Amino acid sequence: MKKTLLAIPVLLVLLASNGSALASESKVKKVNNLDDEYQVELTYEEAMQRVSELSGEPVEKVKERYQKENQKKNSLSLMATTSSNCHWIETSTNIPVTSSYQPNLSAVLEGCRNGSFGWLTTKKPFYVGMIADNKKFDGDIRVEVKGSGFNYLINGSFHNRGTMTHQGTTGVNAVWTTTYAVSSSSDFYKSYYSGLKWRAVTP
């Protein structure tokens, strides 16, 4: 499926329509000269809204899940999360399944800065998912957060039809695995194994 130049403007319009517009398009950073690959810095409210759009969950449920996942952390961790030096980052990474079909791996992670030094925290990503467009993904996505980016490994298959379910993200420390399942799948499209890949991020 051929991507268009509308990917980034559509993201900004979606955020703006919910009263959480980004300050400017300058926050969007293209990588590898691909129009459908980007990273964008988000506030807490923007991140909640964006994850709601990606996951299909109501914003209230997204916030409830975030608070539940963080309630066991100590006060120091929570202070770091809400620090003005920390923020959310959404990345979109092009996945070359075939020359004509290239879905995106979407991840929403926490980044922090201290002066000119920036890093990604190793806490659980707020969202990791496959934007499969008109196809359905069945398999696992492993993400390992490391400083200024993350390693990822995708292993699964794509189908033209079926019901795709995001079954959640599990893991410990910096390594997290998201699982998708497809029920009533039909019209198999292609198996895909990415091997270990690196995605650089600028916190």
Side-chain angles (χ1 to χ4, degrees), residues 97-116:
V97 177
T98 68
S99 60
S100 60
Y101 177 61
Q102 300 187 11
N104 286 338
L105 168 62
S106 180
V108 179
L109 312 102
E110 185 184 55
C112 297
R113 280 194 296 265
N114 185 0
S116 60

Side-chain angles (χ1 to χ4, degrees), residues 27 49 85 131:
K27 282 189 175 182
Q49 180 62 45
N85 293 327
I131 309 303

Side-chain angles (χ1 to χ4, degrees), residues 48-197:
M48 299 296 124
Q49 180 62 45
R50 188 61 181 141
V51 171
S52 173
E53 293 162 357
L54 291 167
S55 66
E57 287 183 286
V59 175
E60 294 75 16
K61 289 288 185 182
V62 172
K63 290 183 177 182
E64 181 181 317
R65 175 165 56 84
Y66 172 76
Q67 292 167 357
K68 183 176 181 180
E69 288 175 351
N70 284 280
Q71 67 183 0
K72 294 181 180 180
K73 296 183 181 296
N74 60 40
S75 58
L76 183 59
S77 296
L78 288 174
M79 187 181 299
T81 299
T82 57
S83 167
S84 59
N85 293 327
C86 294
H87 51 276
W88 294 100
I89 301 170
E90 179 187 353
T91 67
S92 179
T93 305
N94 189 255
I95 306 300
V97 177
T98 68
S99 60
S100 60
Y101 177 61
Q102 300 187 11
N104 286 338
L105 168 62
S106 180
V108 179
L109 312 102
E110 185 184 55
C112 297
R113 280 194 296 265
N114 185 0
S116 60
F117 180 66
W119 68 95
L120 296 177
T121 68
T122 57
K123 68 187 294 183
K124 182 178 180 179
F126 195 36
Y127 180 83
V128 174
M130 180 67 70
I131 309 303
D133 296 321
N134 61 332
K135 301 193 186 303
K136 314 298 179 182
F137 176 69
D138 186 0
D140 296 324
I141 304 168
R142 193 187 77 175
V143 168
E144 181 180 8
V145 183
K146 286 187 171 183
S148 59
F150 59 87
N151 287 318
Y152 67 90
L153 190 150
I154 301 169
N155 186 18
S157 58
F158 291 87
H159 304 262
N160 288 316
R161 296 178 181 81
T163 302
M164 186 171 77
T165 305
H166 185 293
Q167 296 191 314
T169 300
T170 58
V172 293
N173 298 327
V175 182
W176 310 96
T177 300
T178 294
T179 302
Y180 277 92
V182 175
S183 59
S184 304
S185 62
S186 63
D187 199 5
F188 173 83
Y189 180 70
K190 188 176 178 62
S191 294
Y192 181 75
Y193 178 76
S194 67
L196 192 63
K197 303 291 185 182

